[in-house]
Amino acid sequence: MAGPPHARVAQPRAMTTPLPRRLDALAVGERVFLRHPVPADRDELLSLRAANRSHLEKWEPKASPGFDAFGLDWVNAFLATRRGTRGERSLVCRIHDGAILGQISFNTILRGPLQQCFLGWWIGAAHEGGGNMTEAVRLACHHAFTTLGLHRVEANIVPTNARSRALAERAGLKYEGYSPRYLEIAGVWTDHERWALTLEDWIAQRSTGRTHR
Ligand SMILES: CC(C)(COP(=O)(O)OP(=O)(O)OC[C@H]1O[C@@H](n2cnc3c(N)ncnc32)[C@H](O)[C@@H]1OP(=O)(O)O)[C@@H](O)C(=O)NCCC(=O)NCCS
């Protein structure tokens, strides 16, 4: 038997994310939001990085000697470069509790006639495979094309990184071409695919409902 009328009305779910963090969001989706990192994130970031060494290091440049790419050195460098005219960092945070799942960087922002940044992304292995990053990259594109006022975002992806290629495609980026020995990854000059999205294509996708805020 149905309960009293008020029991049948969907109650809003409690938002446990600390309010200031959510208010600082760069963009908010249904399952994740993006925000700039702050020094108070140090411990959580350190745990996430340390737990994901084997998941991430095969896709990243080799660290300089003496630099701990999965410890405090990396976290401090990440925080020190969190916001500037030449680049920005964002954290991918779970909407219902604010937990940090991964990150998206807006690298090498170039102005003048190019108006572009290079996106870099990763998510902790425990959070892979659920669509969080698809939403996060779409939110990152929104931030790039609106707040940052860019005309183009580009992501360079190792051809064997099937998850990253699939992510780029799901998020609306287009395959543009192939660059031999483009970036040093894990100590080796590695071929990359260039994936990109321009403002015009992003607007067209929005009008057909393929992207979201
Ligand atoms: C690349 C990387 C970020 C991709 O993350 P991901 O979890 O695969 O991406 P998503 O969060 O979009 O999840 C996609 C998966 O969720 C599924 N999914 C479920 N619901 C979904 C939804 N609503 N929307 C999109 N996908 C959804 C997809 O079908 C896909 O499933 P699959 O894993 O069986 O293919 C991640 O693998 C990673 O961090 N890798 C290591 C670092 C790295 O490679 N960085 C990039 C270097 S270029």
Side-chain angles (χ1 to χ4, degrees):
M1 186 178 148
H6 71 269
R8 293 198 298 272
V9 177
Q11 297 298 307
R13 205 168 39 159
M15 285 294 180
T16 53
T17 305
L19 194 57
R21 299 278 182 87
R22 285 176 55 87
L23 287 179
D24 280 351
L26 307 178
V28 180
E30 288 166 11
R31 50 176 78 196
V32 295
F33 64 97
L34 302 185
R35 66 171 174 82
H36 289 126
V38 293
D41 296 319
R42 187 171 272 110
D43 290 350
E44 193 177 350
L45 269 173
L46 192 54
S47 306
L48 186 66
R49 260 319 262 188
N52 282 284
R53 176 187 288 270
S54 63
H55 172 58
L56 299 177
E57 69 184 345
K58 56 185 173 291
W59 305 118
E60 296 193 355
K62 192 176 170 68
S64 312
F67 183 90
D68 184 358
F70 293 89
L72 260 186
D73 292 341
W74 183 89
V75 173
N76 288 336
F78 183 78
L79 290 171
T81 54
R82 63 185 183 268
R83 202 165 182 185
T85 53
R86 300 294 306 277
E88 282 192 10
R89 314 287 193 176
S90 74
L91 298 174
V92 178
C93 300
R94 192 160 54 200
I95 202 108
H96 74 85
D97 62 0
I100 301 170
L101 309 182
Q103 70 96 24
I104 296 181
S105 289
F106 303 84
N107 294 315
T108 318
I109 296 174
L110 293 163
R111 295 295 181 181
L114 188 53
Q115 301 291 334
Q116 173 184 297
C117 73
F118 295 87
L119 293 179
W121 53 57
W122 58 260
I123 189 168
H127 311 295
E128 250 184 342
N132 291 313
M133 285 305 279
T134 300
E135 184 174 75
V137 174
R138 288 175 179 163
L139 294 172
C141 292
H142 187 280
H143 178 66
F145 292 128
T146 57
T147 309
L148 297 182
L150 297 175
H151 176 253
R152 180 184 146 88
V153 298
E154 180 170 321
N156 292 282
I157 303 176
V158 177
T160 53
N161 192 341
R163 296 198 80 96
S164 202
R165 296 170 78 243
L167 169 62
E169 188 161 26
R170 272 195 307 273
L173 280 73
K174 290 183 178 166
Y175 174 77
E176 287 194 340
Y178 192 88
S179 304
R181 298 173 299 285
Y182 184 64
L183 289 175
E184 175 267 300
I185 299 293
V188 177
W189 290 110
T190 304
D191 298 354
H192 277 70
E193 292 180 358
R194 277 194 323 283
W195 290 74
L197 179 60
T198 61
L199 176 63
E200 291 80 0
D201 286 348
W202 179 70
I203 290 170
Q205 289 174 10
R206 281 171 70 82
S207 67
T208 56
R210 269 204 67 192
T211 62
H212 44 134
R213 165 103 174 75

